[in-house]
Amino acid sequence: MTPNERTDTPKEEWVADDDRVIGTAVRWSIAVIGIAGLLAGVGAWWFSRTPPPDALAEAEPALATRLPEDDPATPAPPRLPFEDITAGSGIDFVHENGAYGLKLLPETMGSGAAFADFDGDGDPDLLLANGDLWPWHDYSADRSRPTQRLYLNRGDGSFIDATDGSGLDTSFYATAPVVGDFDGDGRPDVFIAAVGENRLFRNLGNGRFTDVTDAAGVAGENTDWSTCGAFFDADGDGDLDLFVCNYVEWSLDIDLSVDYRLTGIGRAFGPPTNYAGRHNRLYRNDGNGRFSDVSGSAGIEVSHPVNGRPEGKALAVIPVDIDEDGRLDLVVANDTVRNFLFLNRGGKFEELGVETGLAFDPDGHATGAMGMDTAMLGGVARRAIAMGNFAGEMTSLYLSQGTPELYADQSSTSGIGPPSRLALTFGVFFFDADLDGRLDLFQANGHLEREIHKVQPSQAYEQPPQLFWNCGDDCPRRFLLAGEGDLQRPLAGRAAAYADIDADGDLDILITQVGGPPVLLRNDQQTGNRWLRVRLEQDGPNRAALGASIRLDAAASPRQSIMPTRGYQAQVMPAAVFGLGADRHPVEVVVTWPDGAESRHPVTGLDREMIVRRAAVAQ
């Protein structure tokens, strides 16, 4: 447009036209300046850069980047077949979680199992905890209230249902059985954690029990949600005290107000981040059938430093002598908040999870910790603590770092990390699956949401268990995935427990499923390896010597602890099972008793159970 033409054009149009011309010129100027600056910067980098080193033809990758299966020095795992024998075992249990479509958080957390010799005939029996129907819902007439279920071992690995008339045929929303002889009569009693008030049953013998909860004073509050527990001697007086894990503050109204939802699924099981935590409880055994709640005075109530609210959301506990001072400490796995380590200072406890490296993952984050176990690994006898975590988080493997009070999570370098990342892991335990003398790691997996694949295609509700075979100290990575047969079948796994149900020396596995039947897996390994099982008996209140440790021969050999509390909502037989490989012949068994005394006992035969008895010790 020329100046003369403007006179015939409305002012608004030529002003706008000038604005467009000026704007275009400015944008081009900025672009030219930017390109020039970029070229100048590239030129300066080009002439000032450090020349690259000469390339090496056929360069080999660094050893540290190789996977174990790529290294020819890594031995292959042995065949470790497990067969599902549930159908013919006599175990007809089906877990009742009370679900009726509302998706309440306790419904997906499952319930536990305990192997113990409840009838005193020498073989492992089985107790399965059961849920209940919700009292506010009107169920159909064909859905009756369930009870706990007791199965007695016939001696050959098959079971008979002995629930009726046992005293355990009671209905309440149970979560986990906890086994210990609290009254010192030589028979294993049972505490059962629950949503609501907990229960304590005294063993009368021959598979009969009586409810002594009220007299003992261990019910807790009817607003508690207890998830697990452990009998152990907290104060060193010889009898068994009781630690109880509490999870979150939960009720129907709280669950409905959280109203957690997932796109494509609708209402879903909300994470514990939406719920307040609860204090755990420590009950001191007063020696007369009664317990006193000493949680506050003993130092196991952990509150947030800012808001003062309970900080724990506990799903697992392991009593273990972390600092090797002769007193049992407590490691507590918390879901989505930091883990606790309570060091025992003589009946009083000091929480030092952060200081010892057990509170968080390597990035300083709290994990969705579920089940947990501990063991001494390898020829250097390093303590390991394994914790199963939520989907997307590797199973944690904390290893002691030159001192018994310092730990680092070495899951990635151990071989457990990457294969466990996608799994949502509940039950975990160490055991020697092939009896080669090295402890392997087993974990039971399963998601919370039945339709999780709709929003996370990499996830599934039913997930196969995982068995990590211990390759040994000299392998690039200690653990390799192993197992075959029915062990690879996907399950909605929760608790996992082990016992030698058929007396053949190797350890068999039971896995509970939420809202379904358990799975009993018989270990059919055929390695030919020798074994020795050691069980302890002593006079006094702690007849099974819970808290004792056992090793074979040399003082430097890895020791095993006598502690039935393992994994997630599970109890195992209180015995030490030593795999001996093909040619090891130990000379003696060395026992460190709960009071610190040591005794040595000659090994007179292999492939058998050795019972070590100790007479009363004068106090």
Side-chain angles (χ1 to χ4, degrees):
M1 179 180 292
T2 66
N4 290 333
E5 290 172 332
R6 278 185 185 165
T7 59
D8 301 323
T9 305
K11 180 178 180 180
E12 291 80 0
E13 292 185 16
W14 57 257
V15 169
D17 198 11
D18 279 350
D19 288 344
R20 284 192 295 271
V21 172
I22 293 171
T24 301
V26 170
R27 285 193 295 273
W28 273 103
S29 299
I30 292 173
V32 170
I33 293 171
I35 293 171
L38 178 62
L39 291 174
V42 170
W45 168 81
W46 177 263
F47 289 108
S48 64
R49 81 193 196 285
T50 301
D54 294 336
L56 296 176
E58 302 295 329
E60 288 290 329
L63 181 62
T65 64
R66 289 180 175 177
L67 296 175
E69 56 266 27
D70 297 329
D71 191 330
T74 300
R79 288 191 66 245
L80 293 174
F82 285 78
E83 182 180 352
D84 183 350
I85 62 169
T86 314
S89 69
I91 300 172
D92 57 354
F93 176 86
V94 177
H95 175 238
E96 172 63 79
N97 61 359
Y100 58 93
L102 204 53
K103 289 193 174 181
L104 303 175
L105 187 55
E107 295 170 358
T108 194
M109 300 301 287
S111 66
F115 281 115
D117 184 8
F118 292 117
D119 59 359
D121 63 357
D123 51 34
D125 307 308
L126 176 63
L127 173 62
L128 291 166
N130 212 345
D132 199 0
L133 305 183
W134 297 116
W136 53 78
H137 182 69
D138 186 15
Y139 294 89
S140 61
D142 60 348
R143 194 164 175 179
S144 59
R145 293 186 69 184
T147 70
Q148 319 315 308
R149 297 289 289 277
L150 175 65
Y151 295 91
L152 299 181
N153 195 327
R154 289 189 172 99
D156 59 358
S158 66
F159 295 82
I160 182 171
D161 189 340
T163 305
D164 290 347
S166 67
L168 297 173
D169 46 349
T170 58
S171 300
F172 58 100
Y173 209 109
T175 57
V178 183
V179 178
D181 180 11
F182 79 88
D183 55 0
D185 63 359
R187 296 185 290 264
D189 308 302
V190 180
F191 172 86
I192 302 182
V195 178
E197 292 188 352
N198 305 311
R199 305 287 183 89
L200 178 63
F201 296 89
R202 182 171 177 263
N203 190 336
L204 302 176
N206 298 318
R208 297 291 183 267
F209 295 80
T210 185
D211 189 333
V212 294
T213 309
D214 292 341
V218 294
E221 302 293 333
N222 60 12
T223 55
D224 286 344
W225 176 357
S226 300
T227 54
C228 59
F231 282 107
F232 77 116
D233 186 1
D235 51 9
D237 64 354
D239 56 21
L240 295 178
D241 308 298
L242 175 63
F243 183 89
V244 180
C245 293
N246 284 329
Y247 190 34
V248 295
E249 186 176 332
W250 182 88
S251 68
L252 173 63
D253 290 341
I254 293 174
D255 204 315
L256 294 178
S257 67
V258 168
D259 199 26
Y260 185 74
R261 294 179 180 271
L262 288 174
T263 302
I265 293 181
R267 182 169 165 81
F269 299 109
T273 50
N274 295 318
Y275 298 84
R278 297 285 283 185
H279 284 313
N280 301 310
R281 295 180 187 274
L282 178 62
Y283 295 98
R284 184 189 65 218
N285 191 335
D286 293 331
N288 55 1
R290 289 196 56 82
F291 291 77
S292 296
D293 187 341
V294 295
S295 308
S297 60
I300 60 95
E301 293 184 350
V302 180
S303 300
H304 193 280
V306 176
N307 58 34
R309 296 174 182 170
E311 195 166 0
K313 299 178 181 181
L315 287 177
V317 60
I318 296 290
V320 55
D321 186 3
I322 287 288
D323 54 2
E324 299 180 0
D325 65 351
R327 295 186 289 258
L328 288 176
D329 311 300
L330 295 167
V331 185
V332 178
N334 286 312
D335 191 0
T336 71
V337 297
R338 65 184 177 94
N339 303 313
F340 297 153
L341 169 60
F342 295 102
L343 287 182
N344 192 334
R345 304 305 193 192
K348 308 288 185 181
F349 292 83
E350 182 181 8
E351 202 287 300
L352 293 173
V354 173
E355 291 82 351
T356 54
L358 291 171
F360 302 110
D361 70 6
D363 297 321
H365 300 141
T367 63
M370 308 289 185
M372 172 177 56
D373 196 12
T374 182
M376 304 298 289
L377 295 182
V380 294
R382 297 175 68 187
R383 179 165 296 283
I385 298 173
M387 291 187 189
N389 291 316
F390 201 80
E393 301 170 336
M394 297 182 292
T395 294
S396 300
L397 185 70
Y398 298 96
L399 292 178
S400 58
Q401 302 297 301
T403 171
E405 296 181 52
L406 183 62
Y407 287 79
D409 187 343
Q410 298 184 358
S411 179
S412 294
T413 57
S414 71
I416 292 174
S420 66
R421 183 181 290 277
L422 284 179
L424 199 169
T425 300
F426 281 88
V428 296
F429 57 69
F430 290 102
F431 78 136
D432 191 350
D434 58 345
L435 302 175
D436 65 353
R438 299 187 296 265
L439 292 178
D440 312 300
L441 180 67
F442 177 83
Q443 58 183 46
N445 305 319
H447 211 281
L448 305 183
E449 295 288 346
R450 188 174 293 277
E451 299 176 299
I452 189 62
H453 61 281
K454 291 183 178 181
V455 293
Q456 297 182 23
S458 64
Q459 286 294 313
Y461 177 62
E462 294 182 331
Q463 302 177 2
Q466 290 174 303
L467 173 59
F468 292 94
W469 178 67
N470 189 335
C471 183
D473 292 341
D474 297 329
C475 291
R477 286 181 172 85
R478 177 177 292 276
F479 291 99
L480 301 175
L481 270 176
E484 54 189 82
D486 290 327
L487 189 67
Q488 298 178 329
R489 182 160 62 89
L491 304 170
R494 294 298 185 262
Y498 66 76
D500 181 7
I501 62 170
D502 49 7
D504 64 353
D506 55 31
L507 293 171
D508 312 295
I509 299 172
L510 182 128
I511 306 170
T512 68
Q513 295 193 90
V514 62
V519 176
L520 183 61
L521 297 169
R522 186 182 63 210
N523 188 342
D524 288 336
Q525 61 87 25
Q526 298 294 324
T527 61
N529 289 331
R530 311 296 297 274
W531 57 275
L532 180 67
R533 181 165 60 246
V534 182
R535 185 160 55 89
L536 304 181
E537 294 179 359
Q538 66 175 4
D539 292 340
N542 181 10
R543 294 291 186 92
L546 302 192
S549 65
I550 304 172
R551 65 182 187 272
L552 301 181
D553 296 335
S557 66
R559 61 187 181 274
Q560 295 188 32
S561 298
I562 302 299
M563 183 53 63
T565 298
R566 301 292 177 92
Y568 177 81
Q569 299 182 342
Q571 304 277 293
V572 303
M573 282 287 288
V577 178
F578 293 95
L580 303 174
D583 55 7
R584 186 180 179 190
H585 297 275
V587 174
E588 65 179 359
V589 168
V590 183
V591 179
T592 302
W593 297 91
D595 62 359
E598 185 176 283
S599 63
R600 295 173 178 267
H601 310 269
V603 175
T604 58
L606 302 181
D607 302 333
R608 57 186 284 269
E609 180 178 85
M610 176 177 174
I611 300 176
V612 177
R613 294 182 173 89
R614 183 196 192 200
V617 178
Q619 299 293 325

